[in-house]
C-alpha cells in the first residue's frame, strides 16, 4: 500500500496537471465564442406569392428579459474562425468533465489530508 504522504504528493501533482488542462480548455472555449445564428424564412408582409423569403441569418438574443430575433443582414457571412456550435458543445462537455474530475480529486485530497492528520 502507498504511504499516505506519497499519495498526497501524487494527488497534488495530478491536481496541478488537471488545473493546466482546465486552463487550456477555458482558452479554447473563449477563442471559439460561437454565435447562436439561426437561418430563418420570414414573410415580407406584402402578401406576395413567394412568402416566406430567405433563409436569412438571425441572432437569438435576450433583451429586457425576453428572447428576440436580431436580423444580421442578407449578405451576412460567418466571421473568420467562426466556430460550429457542435464543436463548441463538445469542448464545453470536455471542460465540464474536467471540472467534475477536479471536484472528485479535491475530495480525495481532503480525505487524504484528514487521514494524515488522524481525523476521521
Amino acid at each position: 500500500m502507498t504511504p499516505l504522504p506519497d499519495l498526497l504528493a501524487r494527488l497534488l501533482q495530478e491536481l496541478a496537471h488537471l488545473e493546466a488542462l482546465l486552463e487550456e480548455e477555458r482558452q479554447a472555449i473563449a477563442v471559439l465564442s460561437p454565435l447562436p445564428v439561426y437561418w430563418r424564412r420570414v414573410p415580407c408582409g406584402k402578401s406576395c406569392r413567394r412568402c416566406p423569403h430567405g433563409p436569412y441569418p438571425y441572432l437569438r438574443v435576450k433583451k429586457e428579459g425576453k428572447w428576440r430575433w436580431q436580423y444580421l443582414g442578407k449578405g451576412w457571412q460567418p466571421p473568420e474562425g467562426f466556430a460550429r456550435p457542435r464543436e463548441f458543445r463538445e469542448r464545453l462537455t470536455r471542460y465540464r468533465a474536467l471540472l467534475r474530475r477536479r471536484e472528485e480529486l479535491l475530495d480525495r485530497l481532503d480525505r487524504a489530508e484528514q487521514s494524515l492528520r488522524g481525523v476521521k
Side-chain angles (χ1 to χ4, degrees):
M1 191 166 161
T2 308
L4 210 47
D6 291 342
L7 176 64
L8 193 59
R10 197 180 72 215
L11 287 174
L12 286 171
Q13 183 180 14
E14 188 177 342
L15 181 62
H17 176 69
L18 194 54
E19 290 292 343
L21 288 175
L22 278 166
E23 185 56 33
E24 285 176 21
E25 287 297 322
R26 271 188 218 105
Q27 289 174 1
I29 288 171
V31 166
L32 290 177
S33 64
L35 296 173
V37 175
Y38 296 87
W39 292 85
R40 301 181 62 209
R41 297 183 66 80
V42 294
C44 66
K46 297 178 186 175
S47 46
C48 69
R49 293 185 204 173
R50 296 174 43 216
C51 277
H53 301 280
Y56 301 121
Y58 283 82
L59 281 179
R60 189 166 178 226
V61 293
K62 200 167 196 173
K63 289 184 180 175
E64 300 173 7
K66 294 184 180 184
W67 287 102
R68 307 278 185 205
W69 293 106
Q70 181 179 347
Y71 179 56
L72 293 174
K74 193 173 184 176
W76 180 84
Q77 293 294 317
E80 184 74 28
F82 179 75
R84 305 260 183 247
R86 180 176 166 204
E87 182 183 353
F88 178 77
R89 284 192 302 269
E90 289 170 356
R91 282 276 188 185
L92 200 53
T93 300
R94 268 196 304 258
Y95 179 72
R96 288 177 178 156
L98 287 171
L99 284 176
R100 283 191 299 275
R101 190 169 144 205
R102 182 181 72 175
E103 289 303 315
E104 293 168 1
L105 186 59
L106 288 172
D107 287 343
R108 287 178 56 200
L109 192 57
D110 188 43
R111 286 195 307 268
E113 286 175 344
Q114 288 178 0
S115 294
L116 194 58
R117 284 190 241 127
V119 178
K120 293 200 178 191

